[in-house]
Amino acid sequence: MKQQLQQRKKLLTGDIVKQAVIDSIIKLNPASMIRNPVMFIVEIGTFLVLLLTLFPSWFNAEERFAFNLTVFLILLVTVLFANFAEALAEGRGKAQADSLKKTKREVAANKLVNGEITVIQASMLRKGDTVIVEQGEMIPGDGEVIEGLASVDESAITGESAPVIKEAGGDFSSVTGGTRVVSDRIVVRITSDPGESFIDRMISLVEGAKRQKTPNEIALNTLLISLTLIFLIVVVTLAPIAKYVGVDLEIPVLIALLVCLIPTTIGGLLSAIGIAGMDRVTQFNVLAMSGKAVEASGDINTMILDKTGTITYGNRMASEFVPVGGAAAEEIAAWAAISSLQDETPEGRSVLELMNKQGFTYDAAIAEGGQFIEFKAETRMSGVDLTSGLSVRKGAVDAVKQWVAVQGGKLPSDLDAVTERIASAGGTPLAVAAGNRIYGLIYLKDTVKPGMKERFDELRRMGIRTIMCTGDNPLTAATIAREAGVDDFIAESKPEDKIAVIRREQAQGKLVAMTGDGTNDAPALAQADVGLAMNSGTVAAKEAANMVDLDSDPSKIIEVVAIGKQLLMTRGALTTFSIANDVAKYFAIIPAIFLLAIPEMNVLNVMRLGSPYSAILSALLFNAIIIPLLIPLAMKGVAYKPMSSAKLLSRNLVVYGLGGVIAPFVGIKLIDMIVHLWV
């Protein structure tokens, strides 16, 4: 994962920068610029100054070709820099899309028609078609496994090298086009038409083509438009007022004043901040369906988690060999292994893994030539009949007890007590018998994924309450909740219960995140403010969510929350800086303009700028230069540190408010010292 992130950080290449320069010119199209009202006003002003420069007689204006041309060029650069910031953020998304497109290539599909296999191109498949995918073949499209079990390499999508098991039924039946079957054979029902696959949607989304403005962003846009209109009215009314006191303000000067006073800095960087927020989420292998989802994650109060496949692996795994009736641990382990040699279920494989982990040994030769007995619902047991005539069984305790009784065996006195102890701890006991003797129990339990407890502790420090929802009984749910470290749990929950919990939290004014992977989680994922579906889950879950975690790691919500908070903090910090900038630019231009007619305004001329014209050009230059200087901050984001809203406001006012006032004073003065030499 670390290597993956390092590779993604290199996406800001020279080619991306070159393309961003080209795109910043293309974005000068008024139809594109009008989506950013602040910069659209600047573009209109740029065009007017160009006309004044080329045709001053049209406006009965005094001919100041050099000054007007300089103002025009500075304004043009200001607009280009703002477009460049947005194009640069979009460019990173397009680079990620290009890397995804490499996984989309034409492959052959073994379509099943009336029991016969027909080889066609994957692009000819339609929703509802059935295909067979053998070992080594690419899965031709998104679908669900309806028959078989196979190991699938999803590294082309998730970047993770470890293959995952996909099987018919349950929550791990969803497969993605472009992934490869590395073992066995599966039958897949296609669930999407060409152009509507998961990879197609990923490419479209990371390119930023469908990014929606969030409520917070819309509110900020409204504020910026309001400030722009206010300053537009101020500048328009300033001309007759200035004329009254004997100051003739030319149109280029008024336009320059307007551009310096309206919040061009945040206006130019706003889109880049939103796009960069989505880009940072994809760097953690999380696909966000909209900017709204990313931003909402920054305000999450409550997190609802499905247990199976999210907090836990979803499969009962052998965790302990428990001997009974005076048997040794080595004996129960050995017979458990013999009964599991040909058992390909997750439980059977976990028995052999536990054997190796605990250092037990067994003689596999004993089972050679034996007849494997598969698990059946009627018998609730599996095992092997050895050539020596000895039979070995593994299964439900009551079923094995009955089998041993038929064999004429005697039940261990401590069997029921040990069985009750395992069940009361939320586990599943499997009895192991050889011949007419029960040697012990295998303690099966749904294992909590590593590191979950630490991750939930971190969520708690971020002020997020965690609630686990599970269909298990209260005893098992309590055990898993305690191991995982969640704040609360709801046992025996149905899909309706999950939605009810989310709605109850939302009714209290809280924002709720939900993570899940199953079809039964889909309604809750759709109801939640932030729905994070696991990529290993079903199609229904991924369709209902507004985020998909390609690594299927539920604790990834921590990174998503941090990025959401970082987005909000970045936008707030740069807004504070931009408005503070305007205050400083006011002290640079207004006193300089009126100084000759009103000498008393020299009190406000704290910068002691060279002349009215050098003051205007210096302020304009600073206004243009500050945008590209802030692009790295907009792209990277303000460093997130957990703190209260009051502390955050104080920090922003000190760092970005005070800094936003001081920076223009210093910058404009330095620029004026150079500009004044030739103006």
Side-chain angles (χ1 to χ4, degrees), residues 73-401:
L73 292 174
I74 295 173
L75 291 176
L76 179 62
V77 168
T78 302
V79 178
L80 288 174
F81 279 161
N83 289 348
F84 178 73
E86 183 175 4
L88 201 60
E90 290 175 348
R92 291 184 64 173
K94 288 175 182 176
Q96 290 172 336
D98 290 339
S99 68
L100 287 170
K101 286 174 183 174
K102 293 177 183 177
T103 66
K104 276 182 64 63
R105 54 181 177 175
E106 194 60 46
V107 297
N110 301 316
K111 183 179 177 181
L112 195 61
V113 182
N114 298 324
E116 299 290 329
I117 295 177
T118 305
V119 180
I120 63 172
Q121 296 298 317
S123 59
M124 298 173 64
L125 290 172
R126 295 294 182 270
K127 187 174 181 179
D129 288 346
T130 303
V131 297
I132 296 176
V133 191
E134 304 275 356
Q135 180 176 343
E137 294 179 346
M138 299 284 286
I139 295 174
D142 291 359
E144 288 186 308
V145 180
I146 58 174
E147 182 183 320
L149 177 148
S151 181
V152 178
D153 177 9
E154 294 188 327
S155 58
I157 305 298
T158 67
E160 294 294 327
S161 58
V164 295
I165 301 298
K166 297 291 184 177
E167 57 186 325
D171 290 343
F172 294 91
S173 61
S174 173
V175 291
T176 305
T179 56
R180 183 185 296 276
V181 172
V182 294
S183 73
D184 302 297
R185 168 186 180 276
I186 51 176
V187 179
V188 177
R189 182 188 296 116
I190 300 299
T191 57
S192 64
D193 289 324
E196 299 176 356
S197 70
F198 187 55
I199 293 181
D200 288 315
R201 294 198 304 276
M202 286 171 64
I203 292 170
S204 175
L205 289 165
V206 299
E207 284 179 334
K210 296 182 180 178
R211 193 181 79 84
Q212 303 173 12
K213 289 187 182 296
T214 66
N216 188 288
E217 190 174 351
I218 292 171
L220 183 54
N221 262 318
T222 304
L223 172 64
L224 298 183
I225 293 170
S226 300
L227 288 174
T228 301
L229 289 174
I230 290 170
F231 282 119
L232 182 61
I233 295 170
V234 168
V235 170
V236 168
T237 57
L238 189 61
I241 294 173
K243 198 164 189 177
Y244 178 77
V245 297
V247 178
D248 189 16
L249 295 180
E250 301 169 22
I251 294 177
V253 173
L254 289 171
I255 291 174
L257 178 62
L258 175 63
V259 170
C260 285
L261 292 182
I262 63 177
T264 50
T265 305
I266 186 62
L269 294 172
L270 191 58
S271 295
I273 294 169
I275 296 171
M278 291 183 68
D279 171 60
R280 284 195 293 276
V281 170
T282 60
Q283 288 180 31
F284 284 94
N285 256 11
V286 175
L287 176 64
M289 306 301 182
S290 71
K292 181 179 180 180
V294 181
E295 186 173 297
S297 64
D299 287 326
I300 290 299
N301 307 106
T302 305
M303 182 174 169
I304 313 293
L305 303 103
D306 175 52
K307 178 190 77 83
T308 306
T310 303
I311 293 177
T312 65
Y313 283 110
N315 293 319
R316 299 177 304 166
M317 313 291 279
S319 63
E320 186 182 352
F321 296 117
V322 186
V324 295
E330 291 82 358
E331 290 180 290
I332 165 66
W335 289 121
I338 294 296
S339 67
S340 303
L341 284 175
Q342 297 182 57
D343 186 353
E344 292 302 319
T345 64
E347 291 92 341
R349 291 193 297 269
S350 72
V351 169
L352 298 178
E353 289 172 5
L354 182 62
M355 282 280 300
N356 295 329
K357 184 178 178 181
Q358 296 190 348
F360 291 124
T361 58
Y362 62 95
D363 186 3
I366 295 176
E368 287 183 4
Q371 182 182 0
F372 177 67
I373 308 299
E374 291 188 5
F375 176 87
K376 292 183 179 179
E378 298 83 17
T379 62
R380 293 186 296 149
M381 293 186 298
S382 64
V384 60
D385 290 335
L386 305 177
T387 54
S388 63
L390 186 68
S391 295
V392 184
R393 292 293 183 269
K394 171 189 70 181
V397 176
D398 58 342
V400 174
K401 284 166 68 175

Side-chain angles (χ1 to χ4, degrees), residues 536-549:
S536 61
T538 61
V539 173
K542 290 186 280 190
E543 290 287 352
N546 53 18
M547 285 189 182
V548 177
D549 176 20

Side-chain angles (χ1 to χ4, degrees), residues 85 265-266 269 273 570 574 577-578 581 625-636 656:
T265 305
I266 186 62
L269 294 172
I273 294 169
T570 302
L574 290 181
F577 185 88
S578 179
N581 256 253
I625 293 170
I626 198 64
I627 293 177
L629 290 179
L630 290 174
I631 288 177
L633 180 61
M635 298 283 285
K636 184 180 179 182
Y656 297 98

Side-chain angles (χ1 to χ4, degrees), residues 480-533:
I480 297 295
R482 185 170 57 254
E483 288 184 23
V486 295
D487 295 315
D488 199 0
F489 69 90
I490 299 173
E492 299 176 342
S493 67
K494 299 181 286 293
E496 296 83 359
D497 298 326
K498 296 175 184 178
I499 294 178
V501 174
I502 293 172
R503 287 176 176 167
R504 186 183 69 223
E505 295 288 317
Q506 289 173 332
Q508 297 172 9
K510 298 177 181 177
L511 289 185
V512 182
M514 167 74 190
T515 68
D517 65 340
T519 301
N520 63 326
D521 298 322
L525 287 167
Q527 176 68 37
D529 300 285
V530 177
L532 179 64

Side-chain angles (χ1 to χ4, degrees), residues 624-657:
I625 293 170
I626 198 64
I627 293 177
L629 290 179
L630 290 174
I631 288 177
L633 180 61
M635 298 283 285
K636 184 180 179 182
V638 175
Y640 168 67
K641 294 179 182 177
M643 62 179 71
S644 66
S645 300
K647 268 191 172 183
L648 181 60
L649 178 60
S650 301
R651 179 174 176 270
N652 274 357
L653 289 176
V654 172
V655 177
Y656 297 98

